[in-house]
Amino acid sequence: MKKELPKVYEPQEVEGRIYEMWEKNGCFVGHRDPDKKPFTIVMPPPNVTGQLHMGHAMDSTLQDILIRFKRMQGYAALWVPGTDHAGIATQIKVEEELRTKEGLTRYDLGREKFLERVWDWKAKYGGRIVEQQKKLGASCDWSRARFTMDDGLSAAVRHVFVRLYNKGLIYKGSRIINWCPHCVTALSDAEVEYQDKPGNLWHIRYPIQGETDRWVVVATTRPETMLGDTGVAVNPEDERYKDIVGKKCILPLVGREMPIVADAYVDRTFGTGCVKMTPAHDPNDFEVGLRQNLETIRVLDDNGRVVEGYGKYSGMDRYEARKAIVADLEAGGYLVKVEPHQHNVGTCYRCHSDVEPLISAQWFVKMEPLAKEALRVVNEGETKFVPDRFAKTYTNWMENVHDWCISRQLWWGHRIPAWYCDDCGKLTVSESDPTECQHCHSRHIHQEEDVLDTWFSSALWPFSTLGWPDESSEDYKYFYPTDVLVTGYDIIFFWVARMIFSGCEHTGKPPFHTVFIHGLVRDDKGRKMSKSLGNGIDPLEIAEQYGADALRFNLVTGNSPGNDMRFYTERCEAMRNFANKIWNASRFLMMNLTIDTCELPERLELEDKWILSKLNAVIPEITENMDKYELGVAAQKVYDFIWDDYCDWYI
């Protein structure tokens, strides 16, 4: 009996039903099979706070195409999904909810009760983005979905921390770090976004001690930090200042005596050639301070306010203090001139507040030893970037990488597994919670308050999700190393680099052989989608209107590796028409097909042979495109074959 499909294709009624059938029948489950070659992709874990956006839809679509293609080719294909605990973002969300609904801070609750609230929040909202991915048809093995704070993944984090600490690759020290006064936490170099901003260059007189009417003039973009100045530096080759090197000058408004030192760091051609040294608030000044034995005085607190001991400036916000200090310098006759000056300002990647460089005791990973192998595997082609131009982006960063600041002043996250002894003051670092100090056996110990950078756990994602550090795990042995990482170019430093050096260090193998980089999805005017511009497009709304297939086909056609693409909603209509074309072709065949397959190929007509020859010609072409990650080209060939050859000519 012939089955007749409805006349009109309604994706909203069809897609959900098909997806449910696929999931119910275990179509997405990755099985270990000794007779098959494995093919593994790990999903870049979206934030547990997240709402699906067009970037997620793009990322998911490309991964889905690759994994379905490999399933069709007979691989034991596994696509591992999961979510990230997103330390800063999640804590901020829960703190905002506490403040607005109950008028409370996390300190009112205490650490334990606050963390209970965060876990409750995660239980309530954490699955939202998973359901949204399912609506777009993502064929992940949801039975293996992981969360970065699952027990197994948390155990892997502790194992890695202790291992690196014991190798001398993790240490705690006071260094200049990037600090966000709004999020009130340290940031790594990769979490700082630089923006070109208009500012000023203030030229200020610093009187030379014991000399009447003689001074040095320094130029600064941040007069508020002068409260922490402990020296002035000039270039040793600068003839203008040779006679004052070794003398002292007086810090205006504060009265501090400071040495004038010679250091090759100083650029003779910038400003006046005299540079004020604030070792506690500038990374370069910090290094000069170490060489020249300058005092280190921190003058801003964790909230970006001037610390006690500075008179009327104490308690002022850094920018409020800037205005007051400039006014007082002018009134005191110390301000020579003010010049407009465009300069690069570091901002927090989360809240976009200006980052404050300041000295702080933090935990760091030594990067130089880890970077060597991570560079080798890319330079020698064990891990390839597609397009290969991004390998240069990666290697440039890795060759110049600084030690990674991994501690965060948060409560939500993996708490650092280090315990301080209240009696001997020494440190115990352990995978399991100790009951006593390993040095003096005192039971008076307390754990480090800070948590680890979120990226510390997601750096282990390709192998921690497969059962590592248990190297006897069957999944780990069969599915690792994974094959392809699909991600945007914007997180090469955040995540890709960290996964590569972590995989090399902890498993002895790079975590994937290919990094397939895609661009950003921009609006139809080429602008980045953002809340501030109000130009974001909700992929779920598009899927509801046109169908998930139409949305995803729109995202892949015209897409080329590594390049940004503009999203035109109108094109979704054309893609919905394409889906409708396939539906109608299927409906026509089901109504009219009379040949039994066992009668083939004897009953083939000339036109049948023609379409089969066209199909046999296009299959190897599309396969080659897929193997080269030319997914947009492959999609266009599918479109042309179905629409032009199959429907318009053959049917």
Side-chain angles (χ1 to χ4, degrees), residues 52-65 136 486-488 516 518-522 539 551-552 554-560 563-567 631:
L52 201 74
H53 56 63
M54 208 53 87
H56 291 131
M58 160 73 86
D59 210 54
S60 176
T61 297
L62 299 177
Q63 291 171 76
D64 208 3
I65 290 168
L136 289 193
V486 181
T487 192
F516 175 26
H518 61 76
L520 304 179
V521 185
R522 297 182 176 272
L551 165 67
R552 301 206 299 169
N554 187 358
L555 286 169
V556 75
T557 47
N559 177 283
S560 57
N563 293 326
D564 292 351
M565 68 169 288
R566 296 189 183 196
F567 187 85
L631 273 52

Side-chain angles (χ1 to χ4, degrees), residues 190-320:
E191 291 169 317
V192 180
E193 296 175 344
Y194 287 91
Q195 296 178 10
D196 218 26
K197 291 188 176 184
N200 289 314
L201 201 55
W202 285 271
H203 292 251
I204 307 164
R205 289 191 181 102
Y206 284 23
I208 295 175
Q209 187 187 46
E211 298 196 24
T212 311
D213 293 333
R214 197 175 179 203
W215 49 77
V216 290
V217 177
V218 302
T220 180
T221 57
R222 304 174 67 224
E224 67 278 11
T225 64
M226 70 175 286
L227 301 176
D229 285 2
T230 58
V232 167
V234 298
N235 191 289
E237 304 299 317
D238 197 329
E239 295 293 336
R240 294 173 295 175
Y241 302 119
K242 281 199 168 179
D243 67 317
I244 60 168
V245 172
K247 293 186 176 183
K248 290 190 175 179
C249 60
I250 307 297
L251 180 61
L253 309 183
V254 178
R256 183 182 300 134
E257 292 181 6
M258 309 186 302
I260 300 170
V261 299
D263 197 279
Y265 156 71
V266 179
D267 179 356
R268 285 181 285 179
T269 63
F270 180 75
T272 64
C274 294
V275 183
K276 69 187 211 56
M277 290 288 115
T278 322
H281 292 277
D282 182 279
N284 295 312
D285 293 4
F286 179 74
E287 296 299 329
V288 173
L290 289 177
R291 288 194 293 272
Q292 303 291 346
N293 201 26
L294 299 178
E295 196 178 353
T296 301
I297 300 173
R298 182 172 155 177
V299 293
L300 294 176
D301 67 13
D302 290 352
N303 300 107
R305 297 184 174 278
V306 178
V307 299
E308 290 301 315
Y310 289 91
K312 70 176 186 180
Y313 309 123
S314 292
M316 282 186 181
D317 170 78
R318 52 189 169 158
Y319 298 118
E320 187 187 355

Side-chain angles (χ1 to χ4, degrees), residues 506-527:
H506 303 303
T507 74
K509 301 167 189 170
F512 24 74
H513 59 68
T514 301
V515 182
F516 175 26
I517 299 287
H518 61 76
L520 304 179
V521 185
R522 297 182 176 272
D523 71 7
D524 56 3
K525 296 181 178 65
R527 300 173 302 175

